[in-house]
Amino acid sequence: MKTIGKINRIIKERELLKSRNLTIGFVPTMGYLHNGHISLVRKAKSISDRVIVSIFINPIQFGKNEDLSKYPRSLESDKKKLDEEKVDILFYPSQNEMYKDRITKVSAIKHRPILCEKTRPDHFDGVLTVVAKLFNIISPDFAFFGEKDFQQLFLVTKMTKDLNFNLKIIPCPIVREKDKLAMSSRNVYLSSKERSEAPIIYNTLLYAKKLFVEGVEPKKIEEIAKKLIEENSSGKVDYIKIYDGKTLDEVSENSRDYRIFAAVWFGKTRLIDNIRVIK
Ligand code: PAF
């Protein structure tokens, strides 16, 4: 695997691949790779001729109260994992390389302040800005995003269409630990008590899904789920919400495809998860 930190060098590599008519699959990450990331890499390998992974801890998607300096890092073991998966190129740029003299950002103008946007204002502007840059730098044919960060996947898919990026976004299913906790780089922050309690998120989503299928009102389900989590664990619910899974609009009679979303604080760690419901 080649590791490249400079934008002009990776553009040369990409042009070489394109001149040979090879398709590029791209997996953007912030490192500290777990099996969720590896599932994206494997999917990328299965449908692309060459795979490029980026590791860049993107400072502009962290809020003022979110500790960027404490975000977990593990470059050497990440490289080893990517090597084992036979990734072709790791793009590992510095902050300076990505953002020196930047005066531009990409922003979703009509996105309602719901779900994570409400708790993390500006977060998605940071995500969209870096993803747009990475798409321009790598020029992939396919880009792979996990469904755990569903709002991110939704906004990146919209941006790709709105800004006419010539690539296909491939959504990939959530990967879970044995006890069904969704895999996340942030799970490492949990104390052993919090870690043992955290699967309550998915179990509650399963219960909420059952209620929703039975016809219980979304507002009522959101209340029941919050109570369940807060009365049976140390978790504090940031949100439990049900939205149309295609548009992220409020639940309406016209839709059949929904998602139930949860964000729960365990101590200082905020975990997110979601589940699809077809009605
Ligand atoms: O999901 C992530 O790890 C990040 O938000 C992403 C897409 C790599 C952008 O920094």
Side-chain angles (χ1 to χ4, degrees):
M1 181 179 72
K2 288 184 190 168
T3 301
I4 297 177
K6 294 285 176 211
I7 292 172
N8 58 6
R9 261 209 65 207
I10 195 137
I11 288 178
K12 276 198 189 125
E13 291 287 336
R14 147 203 125 182
E15 287 309 303
L16 205 65
L17 297 176
K18 296 214 176 261
S19 70
R20 293 169 59 203
N21 280 332
L22 296 169
T23 57
I24 301 174
F26 174 49
V27 181
T29 82
M30 298 208 296
Y32 206 72
L33 304 178
H34 51 66
N35 284 343
H37 297 111
I38 299 304
S39 75
L40 304 182
V41 170
R42 289 186 183 159
K43 181 74 187 170
K45 293 268 329 167
S46 74
I47 62 170
S48 339
D49 296 321
R50 294 291 183 270
V51 172
I52 300 180
V53 174
S54 64
I55 296 183
F56 178 63
I57 302 180
N58 177 32
I60 65 168
Q61 71 185 73
F62 286 78
K64 283 196 191 72
N65 305 322
E66 299 172 28
D67 200 345
L68 167 67
S69 66
K70 289 218 177 93
Y71 193 82
R73 292 159 166 84
S74 58
L75 183 61
E76 286 318 307
S77 91
D78 287 352
K79 274 188 177 169
K80 197 161 164 274
K81 287 177 188 168
L82 296 176
D83 242 343
E84 278 166 13
E85 296 300 322
K86 302 200 173 8
V87 164
D88 299 281
I89 301 176
L90 167 63
F91 181 49
Y92 180 65
S94 66
Q95 284 194 24
N96 198 39
E97 186 72 6
M98 289 294 275
Y99 287 136
K100 189 163 183 281
D101 301 333
R102 177 183 70 103
I103 58 164
T104 308
K105 77 170 177 179
V106 179
S107 191
I109 42 173
K110 265 188 132 180
H111 179 54
R112 287 177 301 131
I114 56 165
L115 303 173
C116 293
E117 179 75 22
K118 216 167 155 186
T119 321
R120 306 181 74 191
D122 301 332
H123 167 71
F124 289 112
D125 287 1
V127 170
L128 294 181
T129 303
V130 80
V131 171
K133 277 180 71 72
L134 289 167
F135 283 177
N136 280 325
I137 293 165
I138 311 280
S139 194
D141 298 278
F142 312 106
F144 300 80
F145 289 83
E147 288 185 343
K148 182 173 80 68
D149 297 300
F150 195 85
Q151 196 172 13
Q152 165 172 288
L153 168 65
F154 173 83
L155 288 169
V156 166
T157 306
K158 276 297 279 167
M159 176 191 77
T160 302
K161 188 164 170 279
D162 291 350
L163 300 187
N164 304 94
F165 282 103
N166 187 19
L167 62 98
K168 194 165 183 319
I169 301 292
I170 313 288
C172 300
I174 298 175
V175 179
R176 299 183 180 280
E177 303 285 358
K178 276 205 185 78
D179 61 6
K180 304 292 183 209
L181 175 65
M183 286 194 184
S184 162
S185 304
R186 289 190 162 85
N187 292 351
V188 71
Y189 296 139
L190 299 170
S191 69
S192 60
K193 178 174 178 279
E194 289 161 353
R195 175 64 190 80
S196 68
E197 292 177 332
I200 197 169
I201 303 174
Y202 183 64
N203 291 331
T204 305
L205 285 175
L206 281 177
Y207 184 59
K209 176 174 175 169
K210 177 176 171 289
L211 295 180
F212 191 49
V213 170
E214 283 168 7
V216 180
E217 280 295 302
K219 276 269 157 300
K220 187 80 202 145
I221 298 172
E222 290 159 12
E223 271 168 36
I224 294 172
K226 178 173 159 53
K227 216 164 161 228
L228 256 175
I229 290 176
E230 295 191 344
E231 286 182 355
N232 293 287
S233 75
S234 61
K236 294 273 164 287
V237 171
D238 179 9
Y239 59 71
I240 307 267
K241 290 292 291 177
I242 307 178
Y243 285 117
D244 185 305
K246 291 251 181 285
T247 59
L248 293 190
D249 286 335
E250 297 291 339
V251 171
S252 78
E253 297 289 293
N254 310 331
S255 184
R256 287 191 57 239
D257 192 346
Y258 301 94
R259 287 256 164 187
I260 311 180
F261 298 91
V264 181
W265 289 98
F266 281 92
K268 289 193 174 138
T269 310
R270 186 169 162 282
L271 301 179
I272 59 171
D273 200 348
N274 67 78
I275 194 169
R276 188 179 188 190
V277 189
I278 307 285
K279 255 187 150 183

